[in-house]
Amino acid sequence: MKPEVLLSRIRVVLCRPSHPGNIGAAARAMKTMGLSDLRLVNPKQFPDPEADTRATGAVDLLDNAKITATLAEALADSVFAVAVSARQRDLGPAVGTPRETMARLLEAAQQGVVALVFGNETMGLSNEEVLQCQAAVTIPTNPDFSSLNLGAAVQVLCYECRMAAFSGAAPLSSQGATPFVSPPATHDEIEGLYGHLETLMTDTGFFNPQQPGRLMPKLRRLFGRAGLEKDEINILRGILASTQVRTGHGRKG
Ligand code: SAH
């Protein structure tokens, strides 16, 4: 697949950005590296002249940017999402370096839309947002001053994407060589599995929603590592459904 096509499949998602100027800077950073798919989750102020000014020649990306109320909507059709975070979290997927993680992202882009998920300028990403991603990345920095400006963080990762796309490196996995392989599950399908698991575990008493602890984050991390395929989701949900029937916990109607 051509590097330009792979880059066109990378979606940049900005969660709750506060400053329109940073949205413009992100658009410019993307366009210089050949990316174009920008999504804004609940931007505080957009559209805005400050965004247009900072975007300069990349106003077309702002015009085409889609706005959603939730991260789940922004990721619905994606097959792989990376949380871009300045801080190490105790919950969420293992954190990789930009170089190795962007190589994984490009590999997943051969299968469909992939996403880089950035956080708010002051708060960063919420735990709930991080838990919707299958991988996480932190840009190595001066440990005494580790927080980049949002637009600068977008620039660094888009650059790494471009380098990975044009490196000509062989794809990490050999396409089509694995028997029984099915297309990767989408974000929507994976969230459907988590919802199903949570319902069944609540019904059987294994999971107490009043005291959730770390069960769901741990399961998300487990399945995030696995890189679920559509067929695998169907199998797992089939097992869950059969258990519900046996235990009388099947959904009525
Ligand atoms: N104070 C916030 C930082 C927000 S900076 C916090 O502690 O999380 C805004 C966004 O830019 C972050 O959510 C992240 O997506 C990105 N960013 C900033 N510095 C980064 C770094 N060193 N590595 C990865 N992402 C970074």
Side-chain angles (χ1 to χ4, degrees):
M1 197 173 282
K2 281 190 168 170
E4 290 85 356
V5 176
L6 289 176
L7 291 171
S8 74
R9 290 182 171 195
I10 304 173
R11 178 175 297 161
V12 168
V13 183
L14 306 184
C15 293
R16 300 165 287 104
S18 306
H19 302 295
N22 284 335
I23 303 176
R28 183 176 184 173
M30 289 170 64
K31 191 167 176 178
T32 54
M33 296 297 137
L35 282 72
S36 52
D37 183 357
L38 175 63
R39 301 258 163 138
L40 308 171
V41 180
N42 248 328
K44 189 168 179 200
Q45 214 174 311
F46 186 82
D48 189 272
E50 180 65 16
D52 291 357
T53 307
R54 292 284 299 280
T56 56
V59 176
D60 53 323
L61 268 68
L62 297 180
D63 292 341
N64 293 325
K66 293 202 173 62
I67 300 179
T68 60
T70 64
L71 177 59
E73 286 169 73
L75 294 180
D77 58 336
S78 69
V79 298
F80 186 67
V82 178
V84 185
S85 171
R87 292 172 285 132
Q88 173 86 51
R89 322 284 179 130
D90 48 350
L91 295 178
V95 178
T97 66
R99 207 142 295 168
E100 68 198 16
T101 314
M102 293 313 101
R104 280 179 72 193
L105 186 85
L106 263 296
E107 192 201 354
Q110 315 240 11
Q111 310 283 320
V113 172
V114 296
L116 289 171
V117 181
F118 293 83
N120 165 271
E121 290 91 333
T122 23
M123 311 297 293
L125 288 168
S126 68
N127 281 337
E128 198 216 339
E129 287 163 343
V130 171
L131 287 170
Q132 291 183 54
C133 301
Q134 291 77 41
V137 66
T138 297
I139 300 164
T141 52
N142 173 0
D144 298 331
F145 192 62
S146 63
S147 180
L148 280 80
N149 162 265
L150 176 57
V154 173
Q155 185 74 74
V156 169
L157 288 183
C158 290
Y159 170 78
E160 287 293 338
C161 287
R162 189 170 183 85
M163 290 302 105
F166 281 91
S167 68
L172 297 175
S173 69
S174 44
Q175 292 285 305
T178 321
F180 316 129
V181 80
S182 102
T186 63
H187 182 84
D188 256 0
E189 291 162 342
I190 296 172
E191 289 298 321
L193 169 68
Y194 294 143
H196 199 164
L197 259 175
E198 200 172 316
T199 305
L200 177 66
M201 293 190 306
T202 306
D203 287 345
T204 62
F206 186 74
F207 178 68
N208 178 358
Q210 310 309 319
Q211 289 179 314
R214 296 191 163 187
L215 180 60
M216 287 313 296
K218 291 243 175 213
L219 289 174
R220 281 173 178 270
R221 182 146 60 184
L222 167 66
F223 287 118
R225 271 204 311 274
L228 290 165
E229 296 172 2
K230 279 185 199 301
D231 283 358
E232 294 163 344
I233 293 266
N234 288 337
I235 292 167
L236 289 168
R237 294 201 62 172
I239 294 171
L240 297 178
S242 71
T243 312
Q244 285 174 309
V245 169
R246 275 288 194 163
T247 56
H249 288 123
R251 280 173 209 166
K252 318 270 179 317

